[in-house]
Amino acid sequence: MSNTHDPATLPPIEERVPEEPLVYDDFPEGGGPGRHGGELKTIITRSKDVRLANVWGYARLVIFDRNLNLVPDILKSVDIEGDRIFTFHLRKGHKWSDGHPFTAEDFRYYFEDIASNPELMPTGLPSFLLVDGKGPRFEVLDPLTVRYSWDGPNPGFLQNLAKARPPFIYRPAHFLKKWHGRYGNKAFIESEMARDRKRSWAAEHNLMDDMYGNEHTGMPTLQPWVIQPSSGRRFILVRNPYYHRIDRNGRQLPYIDRVVMDVADARLVAAKVHAGEADLQARGLSFSDITVLKDGEQERRYQTLFWPDARAARIALYPNLNVEDEAWRKLFRDVRFRHALSLGIDRELINRVLFFGLAEPSNNSVTPLSPLFRPPYRSAWTEYEPKRAEALLEDIGLTELRGDGIRMLPDGRPLQIIVETAGESPEIVDALELIRETWREIGVDLVIKPSERDNIRRRANAGLVQMIADAGFDNGIPTADMPPDDFAPVSYESFIWPAWGEYYAHRGAKGEPVDYPPASELLKLYDAWQHTVTLQERQMIWRQILEIHAAETFSIGIVADVFQPVVRSNYLRNVPPAGIYGWDPGAQFGLHRMDAFWFDDKPKMVDAPLFGRTKSLASGE
């Protein structure tokens, strides 16, 4: 089934948009309201990255604006009482991409028939819906109004709904009920199960329930572009004719008719951009590509912008505190060992060699764009002091050396750390080569092991990975009102403590309980944040969390403040000259309203600073 809509057969626009649509009128880049048309080409490096269209589109119940304030989007409004009671008001006349009404029934279906159904959710309600282990009282007040009520505060509720990959607390009930054991035709469900080789209606329902991945072309959406049938190497998405945003001239967004995502090897992205094969590109580009990108600008009529990277660090090392090997687990949980490894890295050398001295040596902490930033959070234990590092290693008892100067573990094995990386960024591999040189000087051997990202994550969760090199925490620009998810053991996706995170996320059904005092303290603070009702309380807790991270060096940041190259066609308007590039918050292009980008007939260069924005977004500067 395709979501293609013939414009000639569509109802007029006043019947396609809500009675009170969201009127978008914020064009700070000077592109102004645009016009419809055009095909935007971009490059992805894996077929599964077609899901990024749902990230960049960034239609959410509530969204972050450019100053990191939460504002209604899909919702008409939200009433909040003491961070305990949230009443959602929907837009009358809002429709899914297939033209079916979007109503309270879509919220009820998710909460009662999916999240509260043990066959679909055997571990119970997701953690963001729990306060002190209890779910909310969910009420449908009328077809356009729903309410969630807890006995205690749930300050992170709305922030979760604004994520790049949100929990989607609504579903197209009219579409999914066909596969639900309570509503669907038994013969139909069994035939679908046989086709997809699923053993239960729940497994089949979960397969079809795809709000994020863009894997099923029949799935209705509220996003600006709708996936079409594809070949697997090229994905095409078309305008959602029932999208809820319009501009001040009454034109429905998105402006761009089609988004085309071509799959290419990660090593070829910069070359393909240089050849003019992308109208908008950031993913797959790194600082080292700048020379190639600048070289192609004039001939291919594009411009290379430099956006601040919103991640806590451009490169970071993550020792796995849950590694299965007992000797390594003991070492990684010894703060002296983590400090020694950090002091054994010449960050200034890495900055000069890889980033022309334009980056900043840094811990994996908040950046100056965040109002929570304090200089000591960034600088603690980041000096290059090999003698001090050696003294710490000897204090631990790692005094025996083999012939080449590498230290020996108490069990006779060499002090050889296998650092795994997905190999998606040449910067990370190059940095590891430089780290290997200085670590050898303090008696630590480093082995670089490239691997596929999903495999790294699976092996890390199983305790089979010693250390991972990757980008820093996604959110390097938090405000106190944002949950400190990256900084506490609450998610199995964390490379530092996957088993502890899994235990927390699944409420003890999986993983391992935290048995390391500094991590336990972080968990207590995280839970305390979940019960806060004032900004001052949240600021205090964030400060304590960041101070613990600075003191403990749970992860080892290398450099930060590295700018992300963003290539835009000179014909593409409303791309910010100095945006930020982040996942949460930001949704990469989503924060900057990609649905308002449009193609002009005449090329135009934007007046962009050489290296982007430097002031805090969260402060509104």
Side-chain angles (χ1 to χ4, degrees):
M1 177 170 56
S2 171
N3 280 292
T4 301
H5 296 272
D6 181 355
T9 65
L10 287 172
I13 185 171
E14 58 268 19
E15 296 179 19
R16 301 201 313 268
V17 300
E19 289 186 12
E20 295 182 65
L22 187 150
V23 180
Y24 182 76
D25 194 25
D26 181 15
F27 302 100
E29 296 76 43
R35 64 188 183 199
H36 294 129
E39 176 180 283
L40 185 145
K41 302 185 299 296
T42 191
I43 300 166
I44 54 178
T45 56
R46 303 177 298 175
S47 294
K48 67 192 303 182
D49 284 345
V50 67
R51 59 192 176 182
L52 290 172
N54 287 338
V55 175
W56 301 338
Y58 200 49
R60 305 291 185 264
L61 296 175
V62 293
I63 56 177
F64 288 108
D65 66 15
R66 286 183 174 87
N67 291 320
L68 302 185
N69 299 310
L70 280 175
V71 294
D73 178 32
I74 290 173
L75 296 176
K76 176 184 173 182
S77 62
V78 183
D79 298 330
I80 306 171
E81 301 176 41
D83 280 340
R84 296 186 306 103
I85 302 172
F86 299 80
T87 305
F88 292 174
H89 301 277
L90 281 60
R91 300 178 186 274
K92 186 177 181 180
H94 193 177
K95 298 179 176 68
W96 291 92
S97 58
D98 60 0
H100 195 280
F102 172 62
T103 70
E105 170 61 12
D106 299 309
F107 289 81
R108 187 212 64 79
Y109 181 74
Y110 168 76
F111 186 82
E112 295 182 359
D113 292 320
I114 295 179
S116 301
N117 188 308
E119 292 183 81
L120 293 173
M121 291 277 195
T123 58
L125 292 175
S127 58
F128 76 94
L129 284 176
L130 299 177
V131 172
D132 295 328
K134 297 179 181 179
R137 292 181 296 279
F138 172 78
E139 303 169 83
V140 173
L141 303 185
D142 62 51
L144 297 177
T145 313
V146 297
R147 177 175 291 159
Y148 299 82
S149 306
W150 288 270
D151 293 333
N154 190 357
F157 181 48
L158 294 184
Q159 283 79 0
N160 273 290
L161 303 182
K163 285 186 173 183
R165 182 175 184 174
F168 292 115
I169 61 172
Y170 53 89
R171 294 291 199 277
H174 68 285
F175 174 77
L176 284 176
K177 282 180 178 179
K178 295 189 293 289
W179 292 277
H180 198 290
R182 180 179 175 184
Y183 303 101
N185 178 275
K186 183 177 180 181
F188 169 78
I189 294 175
E190 289 178 349
S191 68
E192 295 283 285
M193 289 166 51
R195 180 197 63 192
D196 296 322
R197 299 181 180 180
K198 299 299 182 182
R199 297 183 177 181
S200 67
W201 72 263
E204 184 66 25
H205 186 281
N206 286 338
L207 177 67
M208 301 308 297
D209 184 6
D210 179 35
M211 292 288 287
Y212 175 70
N214 261 341
E215 294 183 6
H216 300 299
T217 56
M219 183 78 169
T221 183
L222 301 178
Q223 301 303 311
W225 293 280
V226 186
I227 188 69
Q228 302 299 295
S230 67
S231 64
R233 299 297 296 177
R234 164 170 281 202
F235 297 92
I236 297 174
L237 299 99
V238 301
R239 294 180 68 239
N240 176 359
Y242 296 95
Y243 194 53
H244 67 288
R245 299 180 192 170
I246 64 172
D247 68 15
R248 64 172 178 248
N249 296 326
R251 289 195 180 116
Q252 185 186 32
L253 301 180
Y255 293 127
I256 292 171
D257 285 342
R258 304 203 320 165
V259 175
V260 177
M261 309 176 82
D262 285 314
V263 181
D265 189 291
R267 295 167 293 184
L268 302 177
V269 173
K272 285 182 169 291
V273 172
H274 178 273
E277 296 183 25
D279 299 304
L280 181 67
Q281 193 71 37
R283 198 168 182 87
L285 300 179
S286 64
F287 198 88
S288 60
D289 295 321
I290 290 176
T291 302
V292 171
L293 297 174
K294 297 295 288 185
D295 179 67
E297 285 186 331
Q298 185 171 356
E299 181 180 358
R300 299 300 180 183
R301 293 194 174 187
Y302 66 74
Q303 184 176 7
T304 308
L305 308 174
F306 300 97
W307 289 7
D309 190 335
R311 289 174 293 193
R314 183 71 171 198
I315 305 171
L317 301 177
Y318 296 91
N320 185 357
L321 303 189
N322 299 141
V323 66
E324 188 177 61
D325 186 293
E326 184 177 350
W328 282 107
R329 186 168 65 251
K330 182 179 179 181
L331 268 182
F332 286 146
R333 294 190 190 186
D334 191 324
V335 67
R336 296 170 297 177
F337 187 65
R338 301 194 299 271
H339 286 165
L341 295 180
S342 187
L343 294 171
I345 297 172
D346 190 341
R347 292 171 174 82
E348 289 290 357
L349 173 66
I350 293 171
N351 185 19
R352 292 195 306 271
V353 171
L354 301 184
F355 303 106
F356 309 112
L358 295 171
E360 287 288 336
S362 176
N363 280 317
N364 191 18
S365 187
V366 297
T367 76
L369 287 172
S370 168
L372 299 170
F373 174 77
R374 300 290 183 276
Y377 302 158
R378 162 171 284 190
S379 60
W381 302 97
T382 61
E383 307 90 345
Y384 179 48
E385 298 186 42
K387 294 297 183 184
R388 190 179 178 191
E390 287 184 289
L392 287 169
L393 294 173
E394 290 172 3
D395 187 50
I396 294 171
L398 300 170
T399 56
E400 183 179 349
L401 306 179
R402 71 182 186 188
D404 61 356
I406 297 301
R407 298 176 187 273
M408 305 297 291
L409 295 171
D411 60 13
R413 290 180 292 170
L415 188 59
Q416 183 182 77
I417 301 177
I418 299 173
V419 181
E420 304 196 21
T421 179
E424 297 167 358
S425 168
E427 297 168 349
I428 291 179
V429 176
D430 292 343
L432 289 176
E433 294 285 359
L434 295 172
I435 294 170
R436 174 160 55 191
E437 293 178 15
T438 55
W439 273 5
R440 286 190 69 87
E441 295 175 7
I442 63 172
V444 179
D445 192 18
L446 186 157
V447 175
I448 304 171
K449 181 180 178 180
S451 185
E452 199 272 330
R453 178 172 295 276
D454 290 340
N455 187 44
I456 290 176
R457 191 170 298 284
R458 284 192 295 270
R459 297 181 65 256
N461 291 349
L464 303 178
V465 174
Q466 292 180 345
M467 183 178 288
I468 295 167
D470 200 18
F473 296 140
D474 284 333
N475 190 1
I477 57 172
T479 67
D481 286 326
M482 297 178 187
D485 292 343
D486 286 339
F487 294 85
V490 296
S491 170
Y492 61 87
E493 293 185 346
S494 171
F495 290 139
I496 307 172
W497 33 51
W500 295 337
E502 188 170 45
Y503 186 88
Y504 183 90
H506 293 285
R507 299 185 292 283
K510 298 180 180 180
E512 302 172 8
V514 176
D515 57 350
Y516 183 53
S520 296
E521 184 62 24
L522 289 176
L523 203 55
K524 290 177 183 177
L525 289 167
Y526 181 86
D527 286 336
W529 187 96
Q530 299 290 342
H531 291 81
T532 56
V533 293
T534 69
L535 175 63
Q536 291 73 20
E537 290 176 294
R538 292 166 198 160
Q539 289 173 330
M540 180 184 67
I541 290 170
W542 260 106
R543 184 168 60 250
Q544 294 178 68
I545 287 174
L546 293 172
E547 287 172 353
I548 291 173
H549 271 265
E552 292 288 335
T553 317
F554 292 111
S555 60
I556 303 170
I558 310 301
V559 293
D561 293 358
V562 178
F563 293 89
Q564 171 66 45
V566 175
V567 169
R568 61 165 283 273
S569 164
N570 291 346
Y571 295 91
L572 189 62
R573 305 293 296 276
N574 282 336
V575 180
I580 62 164
Y581 191 72
W583 182 255
D584 275 328
Q588 297 178 346
F589 297 125
L591 184 70
H592 307 290
R593 308 302 183 259
M594 184 174 164
D595 57 347
F597 297 175
W598 61 281
F599 284 105
D600 203 347
D601 291 335
K602 298 178 180 179
K604 180 181 179 180
M605 299 279 284
V606 297
D607 184 15
L610 180 59
F611 288 110
R613 185 197 302 259
T614 57
K615 292 184 179 180
S616 172
L617 279 167
S619 68
E621 297 182 65

